Amino acid sequence: MKLLKDKVMAEGIVLGNQVLKVDSFLNHQMDPVLMKEMGAEFARRFAGEGITKVLTIESSGIAPAIMTALELNVPMIFARKHQSLTLKDNIFVEKVYSFTKRETNEITVSKKFLRADDRVLIVDDFLANGEAAFGLARIVEKAGAAIAGIGIVIEKSFQPGARLLTEAGYRVESLVRIASLEDGAVAFVEDAPIHSCD
Ligand code: G4P
């Protein structure tokens, strides 16, 4: 998605060789025009999948997910990372380990909002090791609902998440795919040099 690539190039800050800081438009300040375009793009890619719910995880997944849900005209649910005072019983709970933050979160979704006849699109801001996406997928499966696909804003293709999710049979659609963050530079998958055989 060109608009997003341009934004990453203009405003993304590479930290070490692994982390892309995008807090000027995705993770802290948010760009509503970009969010709207991303929602339209996910809706276009998953059109015809019969999606009935969009599922994400707080907090940065919420903006792209709500825009996608708006386009698809379905509800959006976000998994909570912190125990809610009013959400105590009748919840699906999964453990999600974050390699980036080195912490485990218990993520929860109320059983009220996921039903066995739902077709769920999972949306998240970053895909690194795939822990968050797998945790959300386990919740959907516990509900007996179907997973229509996984929409990711920024895939770090040099980490294993995308491959693991694809191998597990999920359709993964990423708006941009990053091949490398080596030497402080962002290289997109499409731009990676093609090595000839000779
Ligand atoms: P995984 O879910 O794919 O396994 O990823 P990981 O555990 O490594 O990531 C945990 C958190 O770090 C997630 O945010 C994820 O979005 C974020 N993250 C991973 N790689 C990057 C990166 O290169 N840049 C940025 N900016 N974030 C990254 P979270 O804990 O859910 O935080 P938030 O949604 O509350 O902001």
Coordinates of all heavy atoms in Angstrom, one line a residue, residues 85-154:
L85 N -13.1 -4.7 35.4 CA -13.9 -4.9 36.6 C -15.3 -5.5 36.3 O -15.8 -6.3 37.1 CB -14.1 -3.5 37.3 CG -12.9 -2.9 37.9 CD1 -13.3 -1.5 38.5 CD2 -12.4 -3.8 39.0
T86 N -15.8 -5.2 35.1 CA -17.2 -5.7 34.8 C -17.1 -7.0 34.0 O -18.1 -7.6 33.7 CB -17.9 -4.6 34.0 OG1 -17.2 -4.3 32.9 CG2 -18.2 -3.4 34.9
L87 N -15.9 -7.4 33.5 CA -15.8 -8.5 32.6 C -15.1 -9.6 33.4 O -13.9 -9.8 33.3 CB -14.9 -8.1 31.4 CG -15.0 -8.9 30.1 CD1 -16.3 -8.8 29.5 CD2 -13.9 -8.5 29.2
K88 N -15.8 -10.3 34.3 CA -15.1 -11.3 35.2 C -15.5 -12.7 34.8 O -14.6 -13.6 34.8 CB -15.6 -11.0 36.6 CG -14.8 -9.9 37.3 CD -14.5 -10.2 38.7 CE -13.4 -9.4 39.3 NZ -14.0 -8.0 39.6
D89 N -16.7 -13.0 34.5 CA -17.1 -14.3 34.1 C -17.4 -14.4 32.6 O -17.5 -13.4 32.0 CB -18.4 -14.7 34.9 CG -18.1 -14.5 36.4 OD1 -17.1 -15.0 36.9 OD2 -19.0 -13.9 37.1
N90 N -17.6 -15.6 32.2 CA -18.0 -15.8 30.8 C -17.0 -15.1 29.8 O -17.5 -14.3 28.9 CB -19.4 -15.3 30.5 CG -20.4 -16.2 31.3 OD1 -20.2 -17.4 31.3 ND2 -21.3 -15.6 32.0
I91 N -15.8 -15.3 30.0 CA -14.8 -14.7 29.1 C -13.9 -15.8 28.6 O -13.6 -16.9 29.2 CB -13.9 -13.7 29.9 CG1 -13.3 -14.2 31.2 CG2 -14.6 -12.4 30.1 CD1 -12.3 -13.3 31.8
F92 N -13.4 -15.6 27.3 CA -12.3 -16.4 26.8 C -11.0 -15.8 27.2 O -10.9 -14.6 27.1 CB -12.4 -16.4 25.3 CG -13.6 -17.1 24.7 CD1 -14.6 -16.3 24.0 CD2 -13.9 -18.4 24.8 CE1 -15.7 -16.8 23.5 CE2 -15.0 -19.0 24.3 CZ -16.0 -18.2 23.6
V93 N -10.1 -16.6 27.7 CA -8.8 -16.1 28.2 C -7.7 -16.9 27.5 O -7.7 -18.1 27.3 CB -8.6 -16.3 29.7 CG1 -7.3 -15.7 30.2 CG2 -9.8 -15.8 30.5
E94 N -6.7 -16.1 27.0 CA -5.5 -16.8 26.4 C -4.3 -16.0 26.9 O -4.3 -14.8 27.1 CB -5.6 -16.7 24.9 CG -6.4 -17.7 24.2 CD -5.9 -19.2 24.4 OE1 -4.6 -19.3 24.4 OE2 -6.7 -20.1 24.5
K95 N -3.2 -16.7 27.0 CA -1.9 -16.1 27.3 C -1.2 -15.7 26.1 O -1.1 -16.5 25.1 CB -1.0 -17.0 28.2 CG -1.5 -17.2 29.6 CD -0.4 -17.9 30.4 CE -0.6 -17.7 31.9 NZ -1.9 -18.1 32.4
V96 N -0.6 -14.5 26.0 CA 0.1 -14.0 24.9 C 1.5 -13.5 25.4 O 1.5 -12.5 26.2 CB -0.6 -12.9 24.1 CG1 0.3 -12.3 23.0 CG2 -1.9 -13.5 23.4
Y97 N 2.5 -14.1 24.9 CA 3.9 -13.6 25.3 C 4.4 -12.6 24.3 O 4.3 -12.9 23.1 CB 4.8 -14.8 25.4 CG 6.3 -14.4 25.7 CD1 6.5 -13.9 27.0 CD2 7.3 -14.4 24.8 CE1 7.8 -13.4 27.3 CE2 8.5 -13.9 25.1 CZ 8.8 -13.4 26.3 OH 10.1 -13.0 26.6
S98 N 4.9 -11.5 24.7 CA 5.5 -10.5 23.8 C 7.0 -10.6 23.9 O 7.6 -10.3 24.9 CB 5.0 -9.1 24.2 OG 5.9 -8.2 23.6
F99 N 7.6 -11.0 22.8 CA 9.1 -11.0 22.7 C 9.7 -9.6 22.8 O 10.7 -9.4 23.4 CB 9.6 -11.7 21.4 CG 9.3 -13.2 21.4 CD1 8.2 -13.7 20.8 CD2 10.3 -14.0 21.9 CE1 7.9 -15.1 20.8 CE2 10.0 -15.4 21.9 CZ 8.9 -15.9 21.3
T100 N 8.9 -8.7 22.1 CA 9.4 -7.3 22.1 C 9.4 -6.7 23.5 O 10.4 -6.0 23.9 CB 8.5 -6.5 21.2 OG1 8.5 -7.1 19.9 CG2 9.1 -5.1 21.0
K101 N 8.3 -6.9 24.3 CA 8.2 -6.3 25.6 C 8.6 -7.3 26.7 O 8.7 -6.9 27.9 CB 6.8 -5.8 25.8 CG 6.4 -4.8 24.8 CD 5.1 -4.1 25.0 CE 5.0 -2.9 24.1 NZ 3.6 -2.3 24.1
R102 N 8.9 -8.5 26.4 CA 9.3 -9.5 27.4 C 8.4 -9.6 28.5 O 8.7 -9.6 29.7 CB 10.8 -9.2 27.9 CG 11.8 -9.4 26.8 CD 13.2 -9.5 27.4 NE 14.2 -9.8 26.3 CZ 14.7 -8.8 25.6 NH1 14.4 -7.6 25.8 NH2 15.6 -9.1 24.7
E103 N 7.1 -9.7 28.2 CA 6.1 -9.9 29.2 C 4.9 -10.8 28.6 O 4.7 -10.8 27.4 CB 5.5 -8.5 29.7 CG 4.8 -7.7 28.6 CD 4.3 -6.4 29.0 OE1 4.9 -5.8 29.9 OE2 3.4 -5.8 28.4
T104 N 4.2 -11.4 29.5 CA 3.1 -12.2 29.1 C 1.8 -11.5 29.6 O 1.7 -11.0 30.7 CB 3.1 -13.6 29.8 OG1 4.3 -14.2 29.4 CG2 1.9 -14.4 29.4
N105 N 0.9 -11.3 28.6 CA -0.4 -10.8 29.0 C -1.5 -11.8 28.9 O -1.4 -12.7 28.0 CB -0.8 -9.7 28.0 CG 0.0 -8.4 28.2 OD1 -0.2 -7.8 29.3 ND2 0.8 -7.9 27.3
E106 N -2.5 -11.8 29.8 CA -3.6 -12.6 29.6 C -4.6 -11.8 28.9 O -5.0 -10.7 29.3 CB -4.2 -12.9 31.0 CG -3.5 -14.1 31.6 CD -4.4 -14.8 32.7 OE1 -5.3 -14.2 33.2 OE2 -4.1 -16.0 32.9
I107 N -5.0 -12.2 27.7 CA -6.0 -11.4 26.9 C -7.3 -12.0 27.0 O -7.5 -13.3 27.1 CB -5.5 -11.3 25.4 CG1 -5.5 -12.6 24.7 CG2 -4.1 -10.6 25.3 CD1 -5.4 -12.4 23.1
T108 N -8.3 -11.2 27.1 CA -9.7 -11.7 27.3 C -10.7 -11.1 26.3 O -10.6 -9.9 25.9 CB -10.2 -11.3 28.8 OG1 -10.1 -9.9 28.9 CG2 -9.3 -12.0 29.8
V109 N -11.7 -11.9 26.0 CA -12.8 -11.4 25.2 C -14.1 -12.0 25.8 O -14.1 -13.2 26.2 CB -12.7 -11.9 23.7 CG1 -14.0 -11.6 22.9 CG2 -11.5 -11.3 23.0
S110 N -15.1 -11.2 25.9 CA -16.4 -11.7 26.5 C -17.0 -12.7 25.6 O -17.1 -12.5 24.3 CB -17.3 -10.5 26.7 OG -18.6 -11.0 27.0
K111 N -17.5 -13.8 26.1 CA -18.2 -14.8 25.3 C -19.5 -14.3 24.6 O -19.9 -14.8 23.7 CB -18.6 -16.0 26.2 CG -17.4 -16.8 26.7 CD -17.7 -18.1 27.4 CE -16.4 -18.8 27.8 NZ -16.6 -19.9 28.7
K112 N -19.9 -13.2 25.2 CA -21.2 -12.5 24.6 C -21.0 -12.1 23.2 O -21.9 -12.0 22.4 CB -21.4 -11.3 25.4 CG -22.8 -11.1 26.0 CD -23.1 -9.9 26.8 CE -22.0 -8.9 27.0 NZ -22.4 -7.9 28.0
F113 N -19.7 -11.8 22.8 CA -19.5 -11.1 21.5 C -19.0 -12.0 20.4 O -18.8 -11.5 19.3 CB -18.6 -9.9 21.7 CG -19.2 -8.9 22.7 CD1 -18.4 -8.4 23.8 CD2 -20.5 -8.4 22.6 CE1 -19.0 -7.6 24.7 CE2 -21.0 -7.5 23.5 CZ -20.3 -7.1 24.6
L114 N -18.7 -13.2 20.7 CA -18.2 -14.2 19.7 C -19.1 -15.4 19.7 O -19.2 -16.0 20.8 CB -16.7 -14.6 20.0 CG -15.6 -13.7 19.5 CD1 -14.3 -14.3 19.8 CD2 -15.7 -13.4 18.0
R115 N -19.6 -15.7 18.5 CA -20.6 -16.9 18.5 C -20.0 -17.9 17.5 O -19.3 -17.5 16.6 CB -21.9 -16.4 18.1 CG -22.6 -15.4 19.1 CD -23.7 -14.6 18.4 NE -24.4 -15.5 17.4 CZ -25.7 -15.7 17.4 NH1 -26.5 -15.1 18.3 NH2 -26.3 -16.4 16.4
A116 N -20.5 -19.1 17.6 CA -20.0 -20.1 16.7 C -20.3 -19.8 15.2 O -19.6 -20.3 14.3 CB -20.7 -21.5 17.1
D117 N -21.3 -19.0 14.9 CA -21.6 -18.7 13.5 C -20.9 -17.5 13.0 O -21.2 -17.0 11.9 CB -23.1 -18.7 13.3 CG -23.8 -17.6 14.1 OD1 -23.1 -16.9 15.0 OD2 -25.0 -17.4 14.0
D118 N -20.0 -16.9 13.8 CA -19.3 -15.7 13.3 C -18.1 -16.1 12.3 O -17.5 -17.2 12.5 CB -18.6 -15.0 14.5 CG -19.6 -14.0 15.1 OD1 -20.4 -13.3 14.3 OD2 -19.6 -13.9 16.3
R119 N -17.9 -15.2 11.4 CA -16.7 -15.3 10.5 C -15.8 -14.1 10.8 O -16.2 -13.0 10.6 CB -17.0 -15.4 9.0 CG -17.5 -16.7 8.6 CD -17.8 -16.8 7.1 NE -16.6 -16.6 6.3 CZ -15.6 -17.5 6.1 NH1 -15.6 -18.6 6.7 NH2 -14.6 -17.1 5.3
V120 N -14.7 -14.3 11.4 CA -13.9 -13.3 12.1 C -12.7 -12.9 11.2 O -11.9 -13.8 10.8 CB -13.5 -13.7 13.5 CG1 -12.6 -12.6 14.2 CG2 -14.7 -14.1 14.3
L121 N -12.5 -11.6 11.1 CA -11.3 -11.0 10.5 C -10.4 -10.5 11.6 O -10.9 -9.6 12.4 CB -11.6 -9.9 9.5 CG -10.3 -9.2 9.0 CD1 -9.4 -10.1 8.2 CD2 -10.8 -8.0 8.0
I122 N -9.2 -11.0 11.8 CA -8.3 -10.5 12.9 C -7.5 -9.4 12.2 O -6.9 -9.6 11.1 CB -7.4 -11.7 13.4 CG1 -8.3 -12.7 14.1 CG2 -6.3 -11.2 14.2 CD1 -7.6 -14.0 14.5
V123 N -7.4 -8.3 12.9 CA -6.6 -7.2 12.4 C -5.6 -6.7 13.6 O -6.0 -6.7 14.7 CB -7.5 -6.0 12.1 CG1 -6.7 -4.7 11.8 CG2 -8.3 -6.3 10.8
D124 N -4.3 -6.5 13.2 CA -3.4 -5.9 14.2 C -2.4 -5.0 13.5 O -2.2 -5.0 12.3 CB -2.7 -7.1 14.9 CG -2.2 -6.7 16.3 OD1 -2.5 -5.5 16.7 OD2 -1.7 -7.5 17.0
D125 N -1.7 -4.2 14.3 CA -0.9 -3.2 13.8 C 0.5 -3.8 13.3 O 0.9 -3.5 12.2 CB -0.6 -2.0 14.8 CG -0.1 -2.4 16.1 OD1 -0.3 -3.6 16.5 OD2 0.5 -1.6 16.8
F126 N 1.1 -4.6 14.1 CA 2.4 -5.2 13.8 C 2.3 -6.7 13.8 O 1.6 -7.3 14.6 CB 3.5 -4.7 14.8 CG 4.2 -3.5 14.4 CD1 3.8 -2.2 14.8 CD2 5.3 -3.6 13.6 CE1 4.5 -1.1 14.4 CE2 6.0 -2.5 13.2 CZ 5.6 -1.2 13.6
L127 N 3.1 -7.3 12.9 CA 3.3 -8.8 13.0 C 4.8 -9.0 13.1 O 5.5 -8.7 12.2 CB 2.7 -9.5 11.8 CG 2.9 -11.0 11.7 CD1 2.3 -11.7 12.9 CD2 2.2 -11.5 10.4
A128 N 5.2 -9.6 14.2 CA 6.6 -9.9 14.5 C 6.7 -11.4 14.6 O 6.9 -12.1 13.6 CB 7.1 -9.2 15.7
N129 N 6.5 -11.9 15.8 CA 6.6 -13.4 16.0 C 5.2 -14.1 15.9 O 5.1 -15.3 15.9 CB 7.1 -13.7 17.4 CG 8.6 -13.2 17.5 OD1 9.5 -13.8 16.9 ND2 8.8 -12.1 18.2
G130 N 4.2 -13.3 15.8 CA 2.8 -13.9 15.6 C 2.1 -14.3 16.9 O 1.0 -14.8 16.8
E131 N 2.7 -13.9 18.0 CA 2.1 -14.4 19.3 C 0.7 -13.8 19.5 O -0.2 -14.5 19.9 CB 3.0 -14.0 20.5 CG 4.3 -14.7 20.5 CD 4.2 -16.1 20.9 OE1 3.3 -16.4 21.8 OE2 5.0 -17.0 20.4
A132 N 0.6 -12.5 19.2 CA -0.7 -11.8 19.4 C -1.8 -12.4 18.5 O -2.9 -12.8 18.9 CB -0.6 -10.3 19.2
A133 N -1.4 -12.6 17.2 CA -2.3 -13.1 16.2 C -2.8 -14.6 16.6 O -3.9 -14.9 16.5 CB -1.7 -13.1 14.8
F134 N -1.8 -15.4 17.0 CA -2.1 -16.8 17.4 C -3.0 -16.8 18.6 O -3.9 -17.6 18.7 CB -0.9 -17.6 17.7 CG -0.3 -18.2 16.4 CD1 0.9 -17.9 15.9 CD2 -1.0 -19.3 15.8 CE1 1.5 -18.5 14.8 CE2 -0.5 -19.9 14.7 CZ 0.8 -19.5 14.2
G135 N -2.8 -15.8 19.6 CA -3.6 -15.8 20.8 C -5.1 -15.4 20.4 O -6.0 -16.0 20.9
L136 N -5.2 -14.4 19.5 CA -6.6 -14.0 19.0 C -7.2 -15.2 18.3 O -8.4 -15.5 18.4 CB -6.5 -12.8 18.1 CG -6.1 -11.5 18.8 CD1 -5.8 -10.4 17.8 CD2 -7.1 -11.1 19.8
A137 N -6.4 -15.9 17.4 CA -7.0 -17.0 16.7 C -7.5 -18.1 17.6 O -8.5 -18.7 17.4 CB -5.9 -17.6 15.7
R138 N -6.7 -18.4 18.7 CA -7.1 -19.4 19.7 C -8.5 -19.0 20.3 O -9.3 -19.9 20.6 CB -6.0 -19.6 20.8 CG -4.8 -20.4 20.3 CD -3.9 -20.8 21.4 NE -3.4 -19.8 22.2 CZ -2.3 -19.1 22.0 NH1 -1.5 -19.4 21.0 NH2 -1.9 -18.1 22.8
I139 N -8.6 -17.7 20.6 CA -9.9 -17.3 21.2 C -11.1 -17.5 20.2 O -12.1 -18.0 20.6 CB -9.8 -15.8 21.6 CG1 -9.0 -15.7 22.9 CG2 -11.2 -15.2 21.8 CD1 -8.8 -14.4 23.5
V140 N -10.8 -17.2 18.9 CA -11.9 -17.4 17.9 C -12.2 -18.9 17.8 O -13.4 -19.3 17.8 CB -11.4 -16.9 16.5 CG1 -12.5 -17.2 15.5 CG2 -11.2 -15.4 16.6
E141 N -11.2 -19.7 17.9 CA -11.4 -21.2 17.8 C -12.1 -21.7 19.0 O -13.0 -22.6 18.9 CB -10.1 -21.9 17.5 CG -9.8 -21.8 16.0 CD -8.3 -21.9 15.7 OE1 -7.5 -22.2 16.5 OE2 -8.0 -21.6 14.5
K142 N -11.8 -21.2 20.2 CA -12.5 -21.6 21.4 C -14.0 -21.3 21.3 O -14.9 -22.0 21.8 CB -12.0 -20.8 22.6 CG -10.8 -21.5 23.3 CD -10.4 -20.7 24.5 CE -9.3 -21.4 25.3 NZ -8.8 -20.5 26.4
A143 N -14.3 -20.2 20.6 CA -15.7 -19.8 20.4 C -16.4 -20.6 19.4 O -17.6 -20.5 19.2 CB -15.8 -18.3 20.0
G144 N -15.6 -21.4 18.7 CA -16.2 -22.3 17.6 C -16.5 -21.5 16.3 O -17.1 -22.0 15.4
A145 N -16.0 -20.2 16.3 CA -16.2 -19.4 15.1 C -15.1 -19.7 14.1 O -14.1 -20.3 14.3 CB -16.2 -17.9 15.5
A146 N -15.3 -19.1 12.9 CA -14.3 -19.3 11.8 C -13.4 -18.1 11.6 O -13.8 -17.0 11.9 CB -15.1 -19.5 10.5
I147 N -12.2 -18.3 11.2 CA -11.2 -17.2 11.0 C -11.2 -17.0 9.5 O -10.7 -17.9 8.7 CB -9.9 -17.5 11.6 CG1 -10.0 -17.7 13.1 CG2 -8.8 -16.5 11.2 CD1 -8.8 -18.3 13.8
A148 N -11.7 -15.8 9.0 CA -11.7 -15.5 7.6 C -10.3 -15.1 7.1 O -9.9 -15.3 5.9 CB -12.7 -14.4 7.3
G149 N -9.5 -14.5 8.0 CA -8.2 -14.1 7.6 C -7.6 -13.2 8.7 O -8.2 -12.9 9.7
I150 N -6.3 -12.8 8.4 CA -5.6 -11.9 9.3 C -5.0 -10.8 8.5 O -4.3 -10.9 7.6 CB -4.4 -12.7 10.0 CG1 -5.0 -13.9 10.8 CG2 -3.6 -11.8 10.9 CD1 -4.0 -14.9 11.4
G151 N -5.4 -9.5 8.9 CA -5.0 -8.3 8.3 C -4.0 -7.6 9.1 O -4.3 -7.3 10.3
I152 N -2.8 -7.3 8.6 CA -1.7 -6.7 9.4 C -1.3 -5.4 8.7 O -1.2 -5.3 7.5 CB -0.5 -7.7 9.4 CG1 -0.9 -9.0 10.1 CG2 0.7 -7.1 10.0 CD1 -1.2 -8.9 11.6
V153 N -1.1 -4.4 9.5 CA -0.7 -3.1 9.0 C 0.8 -3.2 8.5 O 1.1 -3.0 7.4 CB -0.9 -2.0 10.0 CG1 -0.3 -0.7 9.4 CG2 -2.4 -1.8 10.3
I154 N 1.7 -3.6 9.5 CA 3.1 -3.6 9.2 C 3.6 -5.0 9.5 O 3.7 -5.4 10.7 CB 3.9 -2.6 9.9 CG1 3.4 -1.2 9.5 CG2 5.4 -2.7 9.6 CD1 4.1 0.0 10.2

